[in-house]
Amino acid sequence: MAKERNDAEQTAPKKRQKNTKRGRVLGFILTGALTLLLVVLALLVFLHRDELRGENLRRTFGRSTEQVLESEAYTYETGTEALFATVGDGLAVASGSALQLLDDAGKTVFKQLVSYAAPAVFAGKDAALFCDIGSKNAVWANRLGESRAIVPSGNLLSADMNQAGSYLLVTEAAGYKALVSVYNAEGELQYEWWSGTGYVLRAVLSPDGRTLAVLCAENGGGRLHIFSLSSDKERAGVSFPGELPFDLRFMGSDTLCAVSQEGLRFLNTDGDDLGSHDFGGYYLTDYCLNSEHFAVVCVSAYRAGAGGMLMTVYRSGEVLGWVELDRDVLSLDARGRQVLVMTGNSLDLYGQSMGLQHSAEQLMTAKRALLRDRGDVLLLSAYAAERVKF
């Protein structure tokens, strides 16, 4: 028995030596495989380096917030006085140095470098009109990437475009206060009106393209001129004694809303009064007329300072709903029967009765927030827009 133990003890070192050699071989194999794997990964990183940028990684692996609909940003060039408008669910951007139109997915379909002193943009569902107010520079572009230069007869004072793509130009005209020219979506002249007594503050086209409304400043107050494009005669005229409305918008094809510092006036296309809403001594701090169902106004007891009252007003002048705010409104938009409000630390979505539907309490660094028809939001910053949802 002792001899057997001695033999076993003598053979044991040989087994350990054999196992050590086998371990070294396995180590070499594993090291070689790991090196090969690292080489392959490095090659993949090099070949797909454009896809591994921050935005694409976030799109692939997701973000911590559920509000992000799509992490890839809309990128655009902006300069001084940058303005934005939704074109359907796309985006038009106008600045002093560039004009740009992006489609629904954020792809640039039109871009032009310019030198505009006073850029402006007016948008329809499929096209946008870019203007340099005070000059004869204007460009039309659509979501197919088609574009054309527009040469008005005089320096531009204002413009407008309806959802169908028809547009108008308000220009200077010798011997008159202004000339209003209406064009169809193909750029063909449809109608002209010369203003002899009033300075044109705002001119708008109805959604169906059948009615032109022009708001003018005259002695003693404002005056609204309404025209049917099928007739050379003025359809209706409405005076605002002692009051000067500064903005005008169609709410549907048969209702007009005029905005002044005193309140809102609603009229039909025959000039009949439908209703009004008086601000009652409060100061108008912000407003939005993008919804065809109601006007949105923010009023405050002070000209400057945080907070105020945000309300929706129906065409009869009836207040549909209101909410008290303790923060300044940085951006206000409306689509359909919803209202989007951005403050310094929140993004809130309300219904037409101002019932809160969704809210995101977070630091907002965007310049503006636009509500799209599909229900998501474009947060616009200096050089990019991000699509988010609640």
Side-chain angles (χ1 to χ4, degrees), residues 8 19 38 81 115 148 162 172 220 261 278 293 295 340 379 383:
N19 290 338
L38 291 175
E81 304 297 330
S115 180
R148 60 175 179 264
N162 66 9
E172 295 177 349
Q261 285 293 342
D278 189 272
H293 303 290
L340 181 69
L379 291 180
Y383 299 101

Side-chain angles (χ1 to χ4, degrees), residues 24 102 145 151 184 187 253 284-285 296:
R24 289 175 181 174
L102 301 95
V151 183
N184 62 18
S253 293
L284 178 65
T285 58
V296 187

Side-chain angles (χ1 to χ4, degrees), residues 8 12 38 49 60 83 116 197 229 236 300 302-303 311 315 318 322 339 341 344 359-360 367:
L38 291 175
R49 59 191 182 279
T60 302
L83 298 173
Y116 280 7
T197 58
L229 298 191
S300 173
Y302 308 97
R303 290 186 182 274
M311 66 182 77
R315 63 187 64 184
E318 173 192 1
W322 60 275
V339 180
V341 182
S359 181
K367 291 184 176 181

Side-chain angles (χ1 to χ4, degrees), residues 216-281:
C216 296
E218 298 186 354
N219 292 332
R223 183 169 177 81
L224 176 62
H225 303 269
I226 303 174
F227 306 90
S228 172
L229 298 191
S230 61
S231 174
D232 294 333
K233 296 182 180 181
E234 184 171 316
R235 181 173 180 175
V238 180
S239 294
F240 303 90
E243 184 179 1
L244 187 60
F246 56 83
D247 202 358
L248 181 71
R249 198 73 58 89
F250 270 98
M251 297 174 61
S253 293
D254 58 355
T255 303
L256 285 156
C257 178
V259 186
S260 73
Q261 285 293 342
E262 289 73 28
L264 304 175
R265 290 280 300 274
F266 300 92
L267 309 99
N268 63 21
T269 51
D270 290 324
D272 300 322
D273 184 39
L274 299 178
S276 62
H277 176 79
D278 189 272
F279 297 148

Side-chain angles (χ1 to χ4, degrees), residues 170 193 202 213 223 285 384:
V170 182
W193 178 72
R202 191 82 166 89
R223 183 169 177 81
T285 58

Side-chain angles (χ1 to χ4, degrees), residues 4 32 50 61 80 118 121 135 159 161 203 256 263 288 294 307 310 318 330:
E4 291 178 358
D50 291 334
F61 296 106
T80 57
V121 58
S135 77
M161 174 179 278
L256 285 156
C288 179
F294 50 78
L310 186 69
E318 173 192 1
L330 303 181

Side-chain angles (χ1 to χ4, degrees), residues 13-14 21 112 125 130 164-165 175 241 243 252 263 269 304 314 320 325 328 342-343 346 353 355 357 379:
K14 293 182 180 180
K21 291 180 180 180
Q112 181 175 319
K125 184 178 180 180
F130 302 94
E243 184 179 1
T269 51
Y314 189 59
L320 297 176
L325 299 176
D328 282 338
M342 185 179 76
T343 64
S346 70
S353 299
Q357 296 179 344
L379 291 180

Side-chain angles (χ1 to χ4, degrees), residues 46-276:
F46 176 78
L47 292 176
H48 298 277
R49 59 191 182 279
D50 291 334
E51 300 175 12
L52 296 176
R53 293 171 180 165
E55 293 298 337
N56 289 316
L57 284 173
R58 285 191 290 271
R59 184 177 67 250
T60 302
F61 296 106
R63 289 184 179 180
S64 59
T65 174
E66 294 180 356
Q67 291 177 305
V68 175
L69 176 63
E70 201 169 307
S71 61
E72 185 174 357
Y74 287 28
T75 56
Y76 42 76
E77 291 190 16
T78 59
T80 57
E81 304 297 330
L83 298 173
F84 305 90
T86 52
V87 182
D89 280 329
L91 181 68
V93 186
S95 71
S97 58
L99 313 175
Q100 197 165 350
L101 184 59
L102 301 95
D103 64 12
D104 300 5
K107 177 184 176 182
T108 297
V109 296
F110 165 77
K111 183 179 178 180
Q112 181 175 319
L113 300 180
V114 295
S115 180
Y116 280 7
V121 58
F122 307 89
K125 184 178 180 180
D126 297 306
L129 178 65
F130 302 94
C131 299
D132 183 18
I133 303 301
S135 77
K136 293 184 178 181
N137 298 317
V139 177
W140 174 93
N142 66 12
R143 295 199 297 172
L144 298 177
E146 302 169 334
S147 64
R148 60 175 179 264
I150 297 173
V151 183
S153 57
N155 290 335
L156 288 162
L157 300 175
S158 181
D160 185 55
M161 174 179 278
N162 66 9
Q163 286 296 296
S166 297
Y167 61 92
L168 63 80
L169 303 175
V170 182
T171 59
E172 295 177 349
Y176 295 90
K177 296 294 191 293
L179 167 63
V180 182
S181 304
V182 180
Y183 302 83
N184 62 18
E186 288 71 40
E188 301 168 335
L189 182 63
Q190 301 292 297
Y191 197 85
E192 290 184 311
W193 178 72
W194 284 263
S195 178
T197 58
Y199 294 93
V200 176
L201 301 174
R202 191 82 166 89
V204 291
L205 280 172
S206 62
D208 60 12
R210 297 178 179 179
T211 308
L212 165 67
V214 185
L215 181 63
C216 296
E218 298 186 354
N219 292 332
R223 183 169 177 81
L224 176 62
H225 303 269
I226 303 174
F227 306 90
S228 172
L229 298 191
S230 61
S231 174
D232 294 333
K233 296 182 180 181
E234 184 171 316
R235 181 173 180 175
V238 180
S239 294
F240 303 90
E243 184 179 1
L244 187 60
F246 56 83
D247 202 358
L248 181 71
R249 198 73 58 89
F250 270 98
M251 297 174 61
S253 293
D254 58 355
T255 303
L256 285 156
C257 178
V259 186
S260 73
Q261 285 293 342
E262 289 73 28
L264 304 175
R265 290 280 300 274
F266 300 92
L267 309 99
N268 63 21
T269 51
D270 290 324
D272 300 322
D273 184 39
L274 299 178
S276 62

